[in-house]
Amino acid sequence: MKKYTEYKHLDLPAIGSDMLNFWEHAHIFDKSVSSREDSVPFVFYEGPPSANGMPGIHHVMARAIKDIFCRYQTLQGKLVKRKAGWDTHGLPIELAVEKTLGITKEDIGKKISIEDYNKACRKEVLKYQDRWEELTRLMGYWVDMKHPYVTFDNTYMESVWWLLKQLYSKDLLYKGYTIQPYSPAAGTGLSSHEINQPGCYRNVKDTSAVAMFKLADALSKLPGAEALDTYFLAWTTTPWTLPSNTALAVGAEIEYVVVKTYHPSTHQAVQVVLAKDLLSTHFPEKNADLEFAAYKAGDKAIPFQVVASHLGKALAGLRYEQLLPFAQPEDGDAFRVITGDFVTTSDGTGIVHIAPSFGADDFRAAKQNGIGSLTLVDKRGRFLPQVQDGTFLYGEEYVKEAYLDEAEKAASLEKQRVALQGIIADTSKIQYLSVDERIVLKLQQEGKLFKKEKYEHSYPHCWRTDKPILYYPLDSWFVKVTAKKDRMIELNKTINWKPEHTGTGRFGEWLNNLQDWNLSRSRFWGIPLPIWRSEDGTEEKCIGSVEELKREIEKATQAGYPSEFPMDETLDLHKPYIDRVVLLSDSGKVMHRESDLIDVWFDSGAMPFAQMHYPFENKAEIDDRTNYPADFIAEGVDQTRGWFYTLHAISVLLFDSVAYKNVVSNGLVLDKNGNKMSKRLGNAVDPFETIAKYGADATRWYMITNASPWDNLKFDQEGIAEVQRKFFGTLYNTYSFFALYANIDGFAYAEEEIPLAQRPEIDRWVLSELNSLIALVDNAYSEYEPTKAGRAIEYFVAEHLSNWYVRLCRRRFWKGSYTSDKIAAYQTLYTCLETIAHLASPIAPFFSDRLFKDLNAVAGRNTSESVHLSRFPKVQEAHIDKALEERMELAQKICSMVLSIRKKENIRVRQPLNTIQIPITGSGLKEKIEAVKELILSELNVKKIEFVDESQTRIVKNLKLNFKTLGKKCGKDMKEVQAYAAANSKEIIGQIEAEGKAMVHIAGNNYQLDPEDVDIIPVDIPGWKVANAGAITVALDTVITPELKEEGLARELVNRIQNLRKEKFLEVTDKITLHIEDHEQMRTAILNNLNYICTETLAVSLVSEGPIDPAGADLVDVDEEIRILIKINKA
RNA sequence: AGUCCCGUAGCUCAGUCUGGUUAGAGCACUACACUGAUAAUGUAGGGGUCGACAGUUCAACUCUGUCCGGGACUACCA
């Protein structure tokens, strides 16, 4: 006879390692895939992590979510392949290598060859691969780590090249200018990632100026304006960009005013244009009343007067004279007013000076409006030679003071002292004047300056050189995602986002404001852009495969341009090797590779295709859509504009399809105080330690059930301990209880299934609840709501199964012979436990499998080797009986109320009582209670329930208004009706009970109260002890008759004997003989309950005798007054 | 700066979509009970201006607006 395994105590970490062993030896994961080879696929994509850092606790969170739904779908019979992946390129890796080697970007190619550098990167990137694999294993995340995709593999890179070539052929890949953060001091562009490092933004004081741009169009285009010189006012904190100005931007819906005033330096009458909202910051209110005629040159108070007002969009198209004409833009129709959505009236003048070369917004706005640019600053941060006038500017000057060293400053100062004579009174006294300051001086001289001031603002600095950065136009390759913007938005609407707002909000907004994707990175370790270009830039070729590369190399070689590039097994498509390839254009020109790498985000976004080396292998799987798009992906919410976006963009652009149908974006894992975890702060939680201490199941369960995955999780180890106790402890206890008695009775589920109809109410109830639970959990998993699933399982186990079913049914398991009632109890409990194993297995894979295997090792009901190879339970609709569930809820409520009365009256449950009374309200209440009467009586240790007709006048009733119906009826008089009803509740109750309605008169209005407008609730039965909750009231007869007292004593005695049995380590099944010392108060109690006492304690004989020998006997207190000796012997 | 999320008991969270009667759980705390599931369990208690203000409504934790605090992402702008 096989026995259910019984355990000494619950050890989740041990169960974890046991099950890991079993899974590995029996190849359960492989089987969970191979056993479903012919089934419908459920496509999952693993977002590749970068293994150059240690995995953290948040990875357990993200991976638990992935695992849950993959396991669930496997239980549903789907084929769920999961290929692991590694993200291996990119800046974080390069920066880590630079740090390790103690070098900077400038050293690469000098102090260290690119070859060696990239070798170091290749090594760095998988530094912690074994730790990642170990965590994956320990936490029970099932993913195929034996055959991962690796983004630095040639096959992966080849697929990426193929995708790039598709983009190229579709004209979706182009070379263009973009404005990027650029450090002239370091001579390199910076990524936004670099700029966002702490300390890069610093407060600096710059000279700001409001410049005057003279209207060049006819005044008739500005209705209402007078016949005066007219200027647009625009503010800048970087006057050095003014020579490169090519446009002015206004807000389309912002209101602008034309103001008549006097020029601040020429003192001529002029008109200026600025935003109405900012009028008062430039023109003090008090000057509005000044007489124009009274103004004299040099007066401090300058009169002004608004002469016209226009919306920004009406100003669009107006032309102005170039402010500082050092050079002309080569293309485009410059020096016009345009509109821009970025224009605000928070400061300045509401008119923005646009220098397209030195600002991202500027560049975009200029491009959209067909306006060319001027880039009058070189890459070292100096003006071009033509920016000189001999007086203020001397050509080839650094535009930021910080770029000059002391000697350069001194030399420049000498120049200034000469050149500025006549403009500045005593030039010997001046300090070095920055370019900004001199431009302001120049504007003032030329009558183009409205105002100047020092302005403090935060400005980004280069983290390597500490010098201010510039925004500078650089050559870059772009993916023209804007060409498919509408389609991307449209297809996004078909994606099921969890939570929804991430898709509509964060992602949707991002798509609505889509910009072309800058693909270029001037780095070393990444996928090289497969584009070769002729020196003059007129011809180029995009290579889409290794094969094509080979052909082109051969072609060039034959024409006399051999490349030193091995095409054998040492092939490596990385730098520096690929840069040695020289190709020929169609017309025979030599072409070299564009030096950039591609954005690492393209690598990961390409994974649906590149992980399969598409289209060079596995072509059909993509083309026939069996492995594409994904049914499900999941990552942190920080990937919304990262991986989620790049997947979507590549898919829509090239395959006109979504890349994934369902996506879960989880929130952050914070420390228990809500702070971000970081190694630096020392509050990072080590996932290995956590799993070792609590087990993966408890960790996963805690993370999933504590909060929805998309909310941030405040990770507190106490919470895991609680889950361990509350959920796993309770479930384990329930199993232990089952195993204990099933082993005694030899229950192996060998008997015929006892039909539902023949099982007692409580069995049918728990099975009904169980099937309701299956439906709920199934639904929650299928809708990607793991928290709801977990919480429902938890609730069922703790409340329904353990605290009610097992507690009430205990006697059925240990009492009496092996009857059909007992078998029904075993079958019911078994079914519950096994079902829970299935339902919980996606979240708690270890414990669930242990439970499943322990049960089936004896019962053999389910032949699956592991719960993870089984099928998800089917809801048996016939078992669900909602009315029964309601009845039981009612029973629980009544029990809890009566227990609270007992508590208040200080009558222990062991003391039997005679009667509870329940006033019957509403129809069917009596029948409902009748059905669960036995449970209530035994739980409460009461003899009988009496139902009291509610019409009995002795019952005290309360009137409660139904605001939902009455609110509609009474409207504004609701409050008064309420007050009236409170004051006259007796009359109203009487009327409604007698006539079925009651009338209320308020302020001339009559309102009829119908029975549905009120609840009449019995609250008290005078002379009884009562409790009420909602519409239910119960009363308890607390009189203890002599019979009841005896019965109570007998129960106390049984209790003491049971305790003695336990102290003496008797087996649950051992029979005993009893000798009880005679006591007058106990005499009749024992006599009248002899049978009861003997069956309960398994006594074959009971002798009550006079004084007994204290030797071998125990002295016990039966109650406060009775102390007797009891002797127990094993029979 | 923009977009989005969050704010309910000491802590972790339900409830808000669809307004209605006394805002609920668990943990923690206190007291008492129960106990052949026992490192479990029950009952009772204290603990809440539902982030603030305004609006809509007979009625607002719930709807609307503004703001405050925390967080994420994106951008960095005259």
Side-chain angles (χ1 to χ4, degrees):
Chain A
M1 182 72 215
K2 270 192 189 165
K3 297 247 177 197
Y4 296 97
T5 313
E6 294 182 45
Y7 300 89
K8 288 214 169 55
H9 53 255
L10 175 64
D11 184 348
L12 286 174
I15 291 173
S17 46
D18 276 4
M19 297 319 290
L20 273 181
N21 270 333
F22 161 67
W23 292 347
E24 273 153 30
H25 285 107
H27 306 286
I28 301 298
F29 174 43
D30 292 345
K31 287 177 190 168
S32 83
V33 179
S34 62
S35 65
R36 283 145 168 84
E37 205 59 70
D38 301 322
S39 309
V40 181
F42 176 81
V43 182
F44 166 73
Y45 292 159
E46 162 78 342
S50 182
N52 72 321
M54 279 285 278
I57 194 77
H58 56 291
H59 294 110
V60 176
M61 176 77 186
R63 307 188 129 215
I65 291 165
K66 297 176 188 183
D67 194 51
I68 286 166
F69 298 108
C70 288
R71 284 183 192 267
Y72 165 72
Q73 294 293 344
T74 300
L75 293 180
Q76 292 293 358
K78 302 260 181 71
L79 170 66
V80 191
K81 291 183 182 167
R82 295 95 125 171
K83 195 176 181 65
W86 299 109
D87 189 22
T88 56
H89 289 138
L91 197 63
I93 291 146
E94 292 202 41
L95 293 178
V97 168
E98 284 178 16
K99 208 175 153 194
T100 315
L101 300 179
I103 57 169
T104 66
K105 187 187 174 188
E106 287 67 46
D107 298 328
I108 302 161
K110 294 172 194 151
K111 285 187 188 166
I112 181 172
S113 70
I114 295 172
E115 194 167 358
D116 289 341
Y117 176 79
N118 272 358
K119 273 183 189 157
C121 287
R122 187 183 284 262
K123 202 173 139 200
E124 169 78 19
V125 76
L126 294 175
K127 194 165 160 189
Y128 295 111
Q129 186 183 358
D130 56 337
R131 302 303 289 154
W132 275 84
E133 288 178 352
E134 182 63 1
L135 183 69
T136 304
R137 199 181 78 89
L138 289 174
M139 70 162 285
Y141 175 41
W142 275 0
V143 64
D144 182 1
M145 289 185 291
K146 282 179 226 136
H147 313 97
Y149 64 91
V150 181
T151 60
F152 67 47
D153 281 348
N154 282 327
T155 51
Y156 195 94
M157 292 168 71
E158 187 182 24
S159 287
V160 171
W161 275 17
W162 183 86
L163 292 167
L164 288 169
K165 173 143 194 187
Q166 300 308 301
L167 290 173
Y168 185 83
S169 327
K170 291 185 179 188
D171 221 10
L172 294 173
L173 196 59
Y174 68 92
K175 190 173 190 175
Y177 246 9
T178 177
I179 309 303
Q180 292 167 22
Y182 177 81
S183 169
T188 175
L190 299 172
S191 69
S192 59
H193 163 231
E194 285 169 300
I195 298 212
N196 280 324
Q197 295 204 331
C200 285
Y201 275 83
R202 288 178 213 160
N203 280 335
V204 292
K205 253 189 184 162
D206 279 327
T207 299
S208 74
V210 176
M212 303 171 72
F213 294 79
K214 191 174 182 189
L215 178 71
D217 261 318
L219 278 167
S220 60
K221 291 191 178 175
L222 202 56
E226 296 182 12
L228 294 167
D229 281 350
T230 304
Y231 298 89
F232 296 103
L233 300 184
W235 181 58
T236 179
T237 56
T238 53
W240 61 269
T241 61
L242 286 170
S244 301
N245 168 282
T246 56
L248 292 173
V250 295
E253 301 301 329
I254 295 173
E255 192 178 347
Y256 293 86
V257 287
V258 180
V259 181
K260 192 168 104 179
T261 184
Y262 287 97
H263 191 293
S265 52
T266 68
H267 312 300
Q268 301 296 308
V270 293
Q271 291 173 132
V272 297
V273 180
L274 76 166
K276 189 185 175 189
D277 290 351
L278 290 158
L279 182 64
S280 60
T281 58
H282 298 282
F283 294 94
E285 204 71 45
K286 59 178 170 28
N287 294 351
D289 304 325
L290 293 178
E291 274 294 318
F292 263 73
Y295 172 77
K296 297 190 302 293
D299 278 359
K300 275 198 172 165
I302 303 174
F304 74 95
Q305 183 190 349
V306 173
V307 297
S309 170
H310 299 283
L311 282 183
K313 55 191 172 192
L315 302 179
L318 288 175
R319 292 178 179 282
Y320 63 90
E321 289 176 8
Q322 186 177 10
L323 189 73
L324 297 167
F326 290 106
Q328 295 301 312
E330 283 176 15
D331 54 352
D333 183 14
F335 313 122
R336 278 183 297 136
V337 175
I338 60 175
T339 59
D341 54 9
F342 51 86
V343 179
T344 65
T345 55
S346 57
D347 42 24
T349 62
I351 301 177
V352 178
H353 136 66
I354 298 292
S357 290
F358 305 116
D361 280 341
D362 306 44
F363 183 79
R364 209 180 310 128
K367 206 170 150 204
Q368 277 162 7
N369 288 280
I371 286 173
S373 62
L374 282 168
T375 310
L376 300 178
V377 175
D378 68 14
K379 283 196 171 180
R380 293 167 61 195
R382 307 190 307 184
F383 273 133
L384 298 185
Q386 67 258 43
V387 185
Q388 62 175 314
D389 57 17
T391 309
F392 301 97
L393 301 164
Y394 319 117
E396 304 195 48
E397 278 193 287
Y398 286 108
V399 298
K400 289 270 178 195
E401 187 175 348
Y403 300 156
L404 282 84
D405 61 29
E406 288 308 315
E408 286 168 326
K409 252 190 206 175
S412 179
L413 181 56
E414 283 314 306
K415 249 189 212 177
Q416 289 175 18
R417 284 189 168 141
V418 176
L420 292 173
Q421 274 176 17
I423 290 163
I424 290 172
D426 184 356
T427 52
S428 66
K429 282 186 181 163
I430 59 170
Q431 296 291 305
Y432 169 82
L433 294 173
S434 72
V435 160
D436 284 342
E437 287 163 325
R438 280 177 278 138
I439 285 180
V440 169
L441 273 179
K442 179 175 166 70
L443 291 177
Q444 196 166 22
Q445 282 292 306
E446 296 179 1
K448 296 168 180 169
L449 182 74
F450 185 74
K451 192 194 260 183
K452 64 172 179 182
E453 60 190 353
K454 288 280 181 187
Y455 182 75
E456 188 172 339
H457 60 144
S458 88
Y459 196 87
H461 289 67
C462 172
W463 62 288
R464 292 216 186 95
T465 62
D466 273 349
K467 308 276 181 176
I469 64 132
L470 302 181
Y471 288 87
Y472 199 85
L474 298 171
D475 258 334
S476 288
W477 283 86
F478 290 89
V479 180
K480 203 189 281 175
V481 283
T482 47
K484 298 278 182 183
K485 177 176 160 182
D486 293 343
R487 187 64 179 147
M488 286 174 72
I489 292 170
E490 199 179 322
L491 283 170
N492 179 45
K493 290 180 181 151
T494 70
I495 297 172
N496 176 30
W497 281 85
K498 298 301 278 189
E500 192 190 348
H501 56 75
T502 300
T504 53
R506 185 180 290 197
F507 196 61
E509 286 300 322
W510 172 254
L511 293 181
N512 285 335
N513 299 310
L514 203 59
Q515 305 296 327
D516 279 348
W517 180 357
N518 180 358
L519 208 56
S520 292
R521 294 295 181 269
S522 310
R523 300 292 314 192
F524 302 94
W525 177 240
I527 300 183
L529 195 65
I531 293 174
W532 276 257
R533 230 181 193 217
S534 62
E535 201 90 338
D536 59 7
T538 54
E539 286 182 83
E540 61 190 29
K541 209 165 249 179
C542 182
I543 302 296
S545 71
V546 172
E547 191 54 44
E548 187 181 356
L549 180 67
K550 197 173 178 180
R551 268 203 318 273
E552 292 296 330
I553 289 177
E554 273 166 19
K555 222 194 284 177
T557 306
Q558 279 165 16
Y561 297 98
S563 294
E564 190 192 317
F565 187 74
M567 293 298 297
D568 53 22
E569 67 281 357
T570 65
L571 172 78
D572 186 345
L573 298 176
H574 284 99
K575 277 165 92 75
Y577 320 108
I578 195 67
D579 289 332
R580 295 173 191 156
V581 171
V582 178
L583 301 183
L584 279 193
S585 73
D586 291 342
S587 72
K589 283 180 196 152
V590 169
M591 300 192 297
H592 289 97
R593 197 185 68 81
E594 288 287 285
S595 63
D596 288 334
L597 303 178
I598 63 161
D599 181 6
V600 64
W601 285 109
F602 195 95
D603 293 21
S604 50
M607 72 58 68
F609 317 100
Q611 71 166 342
M612 293 191 284
H613 195 205
Y614 177 87
F616 308 102
E617 293 174 71
N618 306 307
K619 191 165 185 303
E621 288 193 42
I622 300 279
D623 291 346
D624 69 10
R625 298 292 194 257
T626 48
N627 238 324
Y628 172 83
D631 287 297
F632 163 62
I633 61 171
E635 295 294 333
V637 68
D638 51 321
Q639 294 296 329
T640 309
R641 290 163 187 187
W643 193 52
F644 295 157
Y645 167 65
T646 58
L647 279 175
H648 189 64
I650 294 172
S651 258
V652 174
L653 259 57
L654 293 180
F655 293 81
D656 192 41
S657 161
V658 296
Y660 43 88
K661 296 175 189 165
N662 299 284
V663 50
V664 176
S665 72
N666 61 274
L668 302 182
V669 180
L670 308 168
D671 77 1
K672 65 177 173 181
N673 300 318
N675 299 313
K676 215 169 176 171
M677 287 191 189
S678 79
K679 275 179 200 149
R680 195 170 49 82
L681 294 174
N683 62 348
V685 173
D686 182 343
F688 294 97
E689 278 175 23
T690 308
I691 289 174
K693 188 165 173 193
Y694 300 99
D697 280 333
T699 308
R700 289 168 60 133
W701 196 275
Y702 163 71
M703 292 179 132
I704 293 303
T705 58
N706 186 66
S708 283
W710 29 89
D711 289 335
N712 290 347
L713 173 70
K714 288 183 193 165
F715 188 90
D716 186 357
Q717 303 224 350
E718 288 298 314
I720 310 181
E722 188 183 324
V723 157
Q724 201 178 28
R725 276 200 314 275
K726 284 238 47 105
F727 175 64
F728 291 99
T730 306
L731 185 54
Y732 160 81
N733 269 338
T734 307
Y735 166 78
S736 302
F737 174 84
F738 168 83
L740 176 66
Y741 292 103
N743 283 339
I744 291 170
D745 284 319
F747 172 77
Y749 221 126
E751 300 81 7
E752 282 289 298
E753 185 94 17
I754 294 180
L756 198 62
Q758 291 170 27
R759 297 196 198 189
E761 178 100 343
I762 192 159
D763 288 7
R764 286 187 281 112
W765 166 76
V766 79
L767 289 172
S768 173
E769 290 285 0
L770 181 71
N771 278 280
S772 295
L773 177 73
I774 296 173
L776 196 157
V777 170
D778 196 355
N779 192 43
Y781 280 140
S782 68
E783 289 184 345
Y784 301 93
E785 294 274 2
T787 309
K788 283 187 183 162
R791 285 178 179 173
I793 295 168
E794 222 168 53
Y795 185 80
F796 175 86
V797 167
E799 299 305 320
H800 293 329
L801 190 61
S802 172
N803 284 348
W804 196 250
Y805 182 78
V806 172
R807 194 155 59 83
L808 265 56
C809 290
R810 276 178 296 183
R811 301 179 64 81
R812 292 171 68 197
F813 291 92
W814 81 60
K815 276 290 159 250
S817 52
Y818 198 56
T819 57
S820 69
D821 176 70
K822 202 175 207 183
I823 294 168
Y826 279 126
Q827 290 185 344
T828 303
L829 183 53
Y830 182 97
T831 303
C832 289
L833 285 169
E834 198 200 305
T835 305
I836 292 301
H838 290 287
L839 298 183
S841 69
I843 306 176
F846 299 101
F847 184 85
S848 302
D849 208 15
R850 175 83 277 158
L851 178 60
F852 175 87
K853 285 169 65 62
D854 282 345
L855 290 170
N856 281 301
V858 177
R861 298 266 298 162
N862 192 316
T863 53
S864 295
E865 200 178 354
S866 156
V867 74
H868 304 294
L869 301 178
S870 72
R871 289 303 188 97
F872 199 83
K874 289 255 178 307
V875 178
Q876 292 183 274
E877 295 291 347
H879 287 203
I880 297 179
D881 181 346
K882 287 291 168 198
L884 172 57
E885 291 179 13
E886 273 171 40
R887 286 203 291 280
M888 197 59 77
E889 210 183 321
L890 189 60
Q892 286 168 343
K893 207 191 255 174
I894 290 170
C895 288
S896 135
M897 285 191 283
V898 173
L899 287 173
S900 81
I901 300 175
R902 274 182 173 277
K903 158 76 189 160
K904 260 183 219 131
E905 301 302 317
N906 229 340
I907 304 171
R908 49 185 52 175
V909 178
R910 237 184 269 136
Q911 175 60 57
L913 292 173
N914 262 327
T915 315
I916 55 179
Q917 283 196 341
I918 302 178
I920 295 306
T921 55
S923 60
L925 182 63
K926 183 176 175 185
E927 289 69 27
K928 282 183 201 166
I929 296 174
E930 285 283 3
V932 288
K933 192 170 128 187
E934 292 309 316
L935 294 169
I936 296 173
L937 293 179
S938 84
E939 177 71 4
L940 296 176
N941 199 12
V942 170
K943 302 289 177 199
K944 64 179 188 293
I945 299 180
E946 281 173 5
F947 296 99
V948 188
D949 192 329
E950 70 170 331
S951 62
Q952 285 205 15
T953 47
R954 65 191 178 94
I955 299 178
V956 180
K957 292 164 206 164
N958 265 5
L959 180 71
K960 277 195 173 176
L961 300 180
N962 181 352
F963 285 85
K964 218 162 191 169
T965 57
L966 270 179
K968 284 190 190 102
K969 217 183 250 186
C970 307
K972 284 194 195 303
D973 290 332
M974 188 64 230
K975 268 183 186 153
E976 291 181 49
V977 171
Q978 189 179 1
Y980 178 87
N984 303 284
S985 63
K986 265 191 185 148
E987 289 80 352
I988 293 173
I989 290 171
Q991 284 175 34
I992 288 184
E993 285 183 341
E995 303 161 36
K997 63 178 183 184
M999 299 304 292
V1000 176
H1001 311 277
I1002 301 291
N1005 287 322
N1006 286 340
Y1007 298 108
Q1008 179 176 320
L1009 304 193
D1010 295 315
E1012 67 266 23
D1013 296 328
V1014 297
D1015 281 326
I1016 298 170
I1017 296 167
V1019 288
D1020 197 12
I1021 300 178
W1024 287 61
K1025 305 295 175 189
V1026 298
N1028 42 36
I1032 306 287
T1033 297
V1034 294
L1036 181 65
D1037 177 5
T1038 52
V1039 176
I1040 301 168
T1041 62
E1043 291 78 32
L1044 289 174
K1045 178 73 184 165
E1046 281 172 11
E1047 224 178 286
L1049 285 173
R1051 290 180 76 126
E1052 296 289 347
L1053 180 65
V1054 167
N1055 168 250
R1056 303 303 184 270
I1057 297 167
Q1058 302 289 35
N1059 287 345
L1060 287 176
R1061 285 183 59 117
K1062 212 163 137 195
E1063 272 171 35
K1064 296 177 187 308
F1065 301 107
L1066 291 174
E1067 289 298 316
V1068 176
T1069 47
D1070 287 339
K1071 304 228 186 293
I1072 55 168
T1073 60
L1074 278 173
H1075 293 265
I1076 300 173
E1077 185 182 18
D1078 182 50
H1079 188 289
E1080 67 163 319
Q1081 286 179 342
M1082 290 300 296
R1083 223 168 278 151
T1084 47
I1086 292 176
L1087 206 62
N1088 292 337
N1089 297 283
L1090 189 63
N1091 198 30
Y1092 164 76
I1093 296 169
C1094 291
T1095 11
E1096 284 299 308
T1097 60
L1098 296 185
V1100 290
S1101 69
L1102 188 158
V1103 182
S1104 179
E1105 52 198 355
I1108 63 174
D1109 181 8
D1114 294 273
L1115 193 60
V1116 296
D1117 293 319
V1118 178
D1119 72 3
E1120 295 76 21
E1121 298 157 11
I1122 306 169
R1123 171 175 287 191
I1124 51 175
L1125 283 162
I1126 296 178
K1127 192 183 276 180
I1128 294 180
N1129 285 309
K1130 211 166 154 181

